[in-house]
Amino acid sequence: MGCNAFRFSVAWSRVEPEPGVFNQGALDHYNDLIETIISHGMMPVLTLHHFTWPVHVERRGGMISEDFPEMFANYAKHVSEHLGQKVPYWITFNEPNLLLGGYFKPWWDSYYNAPPGMPESTTPLEEIEAVGKLIRNLFLAHKRAYEIIKSKNPSARVGVNQYCYGLPRWLMELINKEASSIKGSQDLYNQIDSLNERNKIRMGSSRTQ
């Protein structure tokens, strides 16, 4: 097919089935996979977090726990120690902006668009607080993983891939600008209030038609 790269995801739950317990057999499996990719003339592209994480991580608070960056860093450390020299491209989080859908549900959705979802009794304020914790943790976890991977393989390219929604470029850039302006919880509250006001206007105009 003319492909020169092969992207795959590591299953965190297989590599670390229990807190601090790492499965050598799982790491050997991914090493064999990388060797096979290279033998077919392709570059391996490794994704560390692709919408799944161990149950034991979720039980300890999941991605919004204060300890999540450290949990993710420890996982990244073990993976990069075994595979770092053979992988030129790393993705820490697949579509991190889509992960917000696991903690915030807009008024037009009847369900959460990503894992893990929140309890039915969750209030909008609690959702906003959870999103604030998630954004902070994703940045910190990515930074830690980046530093660890680069320490094992200085020439490695490390980043994330954004979920683009299939929107026009100008609209995607506007969304990115709005998202990057969030510096803390108050900015989140302001943006949610703005969305709510727009919805009230939209609902009001629809009733008058």
Side-chain angles (χ1 to χ4, degrees):
M1 295 176 64
C3 298
N4 60 10
F6 188 100
R7 179 186 168 189
F8 66 98
S9 301
V10 172
W12 185 356
S13 57
R14 293 183 182 274
V15 170
E16 189 183 7
E18 299 293 337
V21 177
F22 290 88
N23 184 341
Q24 186 60 48
L27 291 167
D28 290 342
H29 162 76
Y30 289 113
N31 183 69
D32 292 342
L33 175 61
I34 291 167
E35 293 285 359
T36 301
I37 293 169
I38 294 172
S39 71
H40 284 79
M42 295 183 287
M43 291 184 297
V45 181
L46 189 155
T47 304
L48 286 170
H49 187 292
H50 199 144
F51 297 154
T52 66
W53 52 95
V55 172
H56 64 77
V57 170
E58 188 62 27
R59 286 174 178 163
R60 288 181 284 163
M63 288 192 292
I64 60 175
S65 164
E66 288 188 4
D67 296 327
F68 179 76
E70 186 60 33
M71 288 187 272
F72 187 75
N74 195 38
Y75 157 59
K77 175 177 178 290
H78 279 78
V79 175
S80 61
E81 282 178 347
H82 288 82
L83 309 176
Q85 295 299 320
K86 298 180 180 180
V87 178
Y89 291 95
W90 294 72
I91 297 171
T92 55
F93 291 94
N94 177 72
E95 299 174 344
N97 49 331
L98 193 59
L99 289 169
L100 274 64
Y103 299 89
F104 177 75
K105 181 176 61 177
W107 66 83
W108 58 80
D109 283 335
S110 58
Y111 57 88
Y112 290 92
N113 288 308
M118 301 287 278
E120 290 185 8
S121 60
T122 304
T123 66
L125 181 59
E126 290 171 332
E127 288 183 329
I128 295 171
E129 290 174 347
V131 167
K133 294 176 182 178
L134 175 67
I135 293 173
R136 172 187 179 276
N137 282 352
L138 289 177
F139 274 104
L140 291 176
H142 169 77
K143 180 176 183 293
R144 290 291 308 281
Y146 175 93
E147 293 170 344
I148 290 168
I149 294 166
K150 295 289 280 188
S151 71
K152 306 300 178 184
N153 183 354
S155 64
R157 305 292 294 273
V158 186
V160 299
N161 63 305
Q162 176 180 308
Y163 180 65
C164 293
Y165 302 102
L167 299 174
R169 181 172 178 177
W170 67 268
L171 184 54
M172 196 67 238
E173 289 178 352
L174 177 61
I175 292 173
N176 289 343
K177 181 180 179 181
E178 291 291 325
S180 62
S181 69
I182 297 173
K183 306 301 182 184
S185 297
Q186 188 57 51
D187 291 333
L188 278 172
Y189 301 149
N190 293 340
Q191 289 211 15
I192 296 302
D193 285 343
S194 177
L195 284 171
N196 283 334
E197 287 301 317
R198 292 174 193 171
N199 184 50
K200 290 176 183 177
I201 294 171
R202 182 183 65 82
M203 294 300 291
S205 64
S206 66
R207 284 195 292 268
T208 59
Q209 293 178 356

